Amino acid sequence: GTFLNTGTIRSDDDAAIDYDASTTTSTIVNSGLISGTIGVLVEKGLTGEAPNLAAQIITNSGTIEGRSGRALDLGAGDDRLVNTDAGLILGDADFGIGDDSAAFARATRAFGLFDGGEGEDEMIFDAAFADLSVLSLKGRVLSLSLAGDMFLRATNWETFTFTDGSYSYARIAALAPVPVPVPAAGLLALGGIGALAALRRRR
């Protein structure tokens, strides 16, 4: 089906948009609010139901919110997300099986773990690689931010495309610094504070 939402689609105890089995491409164009325990949910066939094998194409310039922690759960199909400058995604996004893509405008806001799943998946940024203000790697999860407007974590994406070129996961992961564990830094700070306190007591 096709959703053109300029108002509010909300569920307090279920997904806001819930796709059952289908082989027909669906389209969501959102400039309003889509809010549920999951924002957009696609049937994966895990409970005996037939799976949805179609592509979901989402253009978001409003808000998609998953109040249980997952904004998008898209299942199989070659899914496409375009998040514009006005778009806000609150929660994780699971793109499932298929050759998926997720495109982010420079001032986009997307907070959560974006999992490309199985297939050849591509993240596209309307900015240069040099514009990244945050790039770090923890395990297989990349953290990326563009000038503080966007912060997302990405895993299982094979290609990252910027306005000045494309990077494989292996290449961009090699460029990403590994963050220093916070507990270790905290212990060093506490040790320094303790030493200062002991010195003061001696004086």
Side-chain angles (χ1 to χ4, degrees):
T2 298
F3 290 89
L4 303 175
N5 180 49
T6 60
T8 298
I9 301 174
R10 179 184 174 95
S11 174
D12 290 329
D13 57 5
D14 207 337
I17 296 177
D18 187 346
Y19 285 103
D20 292 332
S22 177
T23 56
T24 302
T25 298
S26 70
T27 301
I28 297 173
V29 179
N30 178 54
S31 59
L33 171 65
I34 296 173
S35 177
T37 54
I38 298 173
V40 179
L41 174 65
V42 175
E43 177 61 55
K44 293 183 288 299
L46 301 178
T47 58
E49 299 289 335
N52 184 311
L53 302 177
Q56 322 300 323
I57 300 175
I58 301 171
T59 301
N60 180 50
S61 56
T63 298
I64 301 176
E65 175 187 34
R67 296 194 308 280
S68 67
R70 181 166 293 184
L72 302 173
D73 194 347
L74 300 182
D78 297 338
D79 304 310
R80 301 285 181 268
L81 169 68
V82 175
N83 204 47
T84 71
D85 279 327
L88 171 61
I89 298 177
L90 295 172
D92 298 341
D94 187 345
F95 284 75
I97 300 171
D99 297 337
D100 310 307
S101 72
F104 300 95
R106 184 185 181 92
T108 194
R109 294 169 296 160
F111 304 94
L113 175 64
F114 281 63
D115 189 339
E118 298 180 32
E120 291 295 319
D121 308 307
E122 180 182 19
M123 272 196 170
I124 303 165
F125 299 94
D126 186 20
F129 179 79
D131 293 331
L132 285 173
S133 59
V134 173
L135 176 63
S136 64
L137 177 67
K138 185 175 183 180
R140 285 191 55 81
V141 177
L142 285 165
S143 295
L144 307 101
S145 185
L146 288 170
D149 294 317
M150 175 199 71
F151 183 83
L152 63 82
R153 291 170 295 129
T155 189
N156 295 320
W157 297 86
E158 282 66 41
T159 305
F160 296 80
T161 298
F162 297 85
T163 56
D164 55 353
S166 292
Y167 296 74
S168 67
Y169 169 83
R171 184 181 175 200
I172 201 170
L175 295 171
V178 178
V180 176
V182 173
L187 287 173
L188 288 172
L190 287 174
I193 292 169
L196 287 173
L199 182 60
R200 182 174 295 176
R201 281 197 299 271
R202 286 178 185 173
R203 288 179 178 175

